[in-house]
Amino acid sequence: MLIKRPDDIAPSEITPEAIYRARRHFMQGAALGAAGLLLGNAEAEAAALAARPSPYRVSDDLTPLKDVTSYNNFYEFGVNKDDPAANAHTLRTRPWSVRIEGEVLKPRTFDIDSLMKLAPQEERIYRLRCVEGWSMVIPWIGYSLATLLKQVEPTGNAKFVEFVSLKDPQQMPGQRDDVLDWPYREGLRIDEAMHPLTLLTFGLYGQTLPNQNGAPVRIVVPWKYGFKSAKSIVAIRLVKEQPLTSWMQASPREYGFYSNVNPTVDHPRWSQAKERRIGEFFKRDTLMFNGYGEQVAKLYTGMDLRKYF
Ligand SMILES: Nc1nc2c(c(=O)[nH]1)N[C@H]1C(S)=C(S)[C@@H](COP(=O)(O)O)O[C@H]1N2
Ligand SMILES: [Mo]
């Protein structure tokens, strides 16, 4: 099955976002297996990821693909928002492997292509709220991290999960500056990591991840500030103690381990009550747990969220 492109649209006008929208429209009534065969755009086909829609889809308007791929935080490629799009082409995403190690009965190193095939991929539309006060709405593709963690059989000592991004200053020019302690390290408590919303992410907008968004594999934790969602990860470690993350190491007063989106707990240097959705003019109110309270609030029952910020 092929969708024909109307003759009056120049190929140059067909943006990846338009391809994505056409595919989604098509997918609503079509067999998933045909997903790769669309529009005759070779590049799009090569990068296309077949994914079934998941129930985890907010109905907010999507942030345009252009913004998702040109306004980024990825300090390995520079500290300005436009640096990752300009510089991340030096990242080599094949070969790539991810080690799952530490407090597990079955430690394993996955080649990225087998990791991608470990479970059916889903499309989920999540809000992403950066600690700096802006937000986006992105259709991500991946499967729950829990699916992977269950395969390696965590031991009873596995209380936390640490994510380690690539360290290679040859590929990541921003690592020649010590703005953070490299490699970028992040972490979650084991129950947060096992929560079905925590997504092992391989794509967005129907395609494999652009380098600037954390190719070839990243985490997305939608109820936490964006920096918890580590990009371009090479290791996942199950550990006994709360890991020291790069941001806590840099500024523990400003960046706590939990970093749940919370409009009532301000960053020491600015309010977190409102946010600017990229592409919108007026600010909107920030939602507790970024709007995911129904799913995740129970993880924090009895915790003082001012202390554990
Ligand atoms: N390795 C790594 N992961 C990272 C970052 C980073 O600098 N390095 N920035 C974080 C921050 S602050 C945010 S807001 C999100 C941005 O993800 P996006 O560019 O895909 O929107 O990535 C997070 N993951
Ligand atoms: Mo961020």
Side-chain angles (χ1 to χ4, degrees):
M1 275 199 277
L2 284 166
I3 288 184
K4 281 238 181 82
R5 167 163 54 82
D7 289 336
D8 54 351
I9 303 176
S12 60
E13 285 172 21
I14 300 187
T15 63
E17 189 184 346
I19 291 167
Y20 167 81
R21 289 184 190 285
R23 179 186 298 124
R24 268 188 79 182
H25 187 69
F26 167 78
M27 297 271 286
Q28 280 165 6
L32 288 156
L37 303 170
L38 291 171
L39 290 169
N41 177 315
E43 264 183 37
E45 281 176 23
L49 274 184
R52 55 195 73 219
S54 104
Y56 297 117
R57 297 156 71 97
V58 298
S59 55
D60 307 24
D61 287 343
L62 299 179
T63 302
L65 178 64
K66 182 172 62 58
D67 294 324
V68 171
T69 58
S70 64
Y71 189 88
N72 303 100
N73 273 339
F74 199 170
Y75 277 17
E76 286 89 333
F77 296 101
V79 297
N80 299 311
K81 296 287 175 280
D82 51 357
D83 285 340
N87 299 330
H89 60 91
T90 54
L91 178 67
R92 292 190 309 270
T93 58
R94 294 290 187 287
W96 190 281
S97 57
V98 181
R99 312 188 302 278
I100 323 292
E101 59 192 19
E103 292 290 345
V104 295
L105 295 177
K106 297 183 173 164
R108 217 179 131 180
T109 297
F110 286 89
D111 175 72
I112 185 66
D113 294 302
S114 44
L115 189 62
M116 289 178 76
K117 285 181 215 130
L118 189 70
Q121 300 213 23
E122 293 180 356
E123 182 185 75
R124 302 186 181 181
I125 299 176
Y126 283 170
R127 302 183 194 97
L128 181 129
R129 168 60 157 81
C130 179
V131 72
E132 296 165 341
W134 49 269
S135 62
M136 298 194 187
V137 181
I138 301 175
W140 300 108
I141 298 176
Y143 54 79
S144 291
L145 176 65
T147 308
L148 169 62
L149 295 181
K150 282 174 195 158
Q151 288 238 343
V152 296
E153 299 181 23
T155 73
N157 288 328
K159 303 292 190 213
F160 294 89
V161 181
E162 181 181 33
F163 304 99
V164 185
S165 298
L166 179 69
K167 181 176 180 181
D168 183 350
Q170 298 290 332
Q171 297 183 58
M172 296 178 145
Q175 290 181 336
R176 294 168 207 166
D177 297 318
D178 51 9
V179 283
L180 286 173
D181 187 58
W182 310 113
Y184 192 97
R185 286 159 289 111
E186 257 307 336
L188 295 171
R189 211 171 55 192
I190 186 77
D191 57 337
E192 298 176 322
M194 295 295 284
H195 193 283
L197 276 173
T198 301
L199 189 69
L200 190 67
T201 307
F202 304 96
L204 57 78
Y205 267 111
Q207 298 181 261
T208 54
L209 280 174
N211 286 359
Q212 59 266 41
N213 294 94
V217 59
R218 69 176 294 173
I219 299 296
V220 180
V221 193
W223 71 96
K224 292 179 180 278
Y225 291 118
F227 66 88
K228 299 297 290 180
S229 296
K231 294 176 168 180
S232 304
I233 59 176
V234 295
I236 299 175
R237 296 187 184 134
L238 290 93
V239 293
K240 290 181 193 163
E241 309 284 342
Q242 181 178 298
L244 178 62
T245 70
S246 294
W247 279 108
M248 290 177 78
Q249 192 178 345
S251 190
R253 223 170 54 83
E254 295 179 290
Y255 307 107
F257 181 78
Y258 287 91
S259 283
N260 293 314
V261 173
N262 188 339
T264 71
V265 176
D266 290 337
H267 184 279
R269 292 187 278 137
W270 59 81
S271 166
Q272 293 291 28
K274 290 186 175 287
E275 68 197 59
R276 190 180 307 283
R277 183 68 51 84
I278 297 299
E280 293 181 357
F281 183 74
F282 293 105
K283 287 193 176 178
R284 32 168 97 213
D285 291 339
T286 286
L287 305 173
M288 186 65 202
F289 296 116
N290 206 19
Y292 298 92
E294 208 175 302
Q295 291 98 319
V296 302
K298 60 180 176 296
L299 298 176
Y300 309 102
T301 308
M303 276 174 75
D304 178 353
L305 297 180
R306 293 191 165 274
K307 182 171 178 213
Y308 297 101
F309 62 97

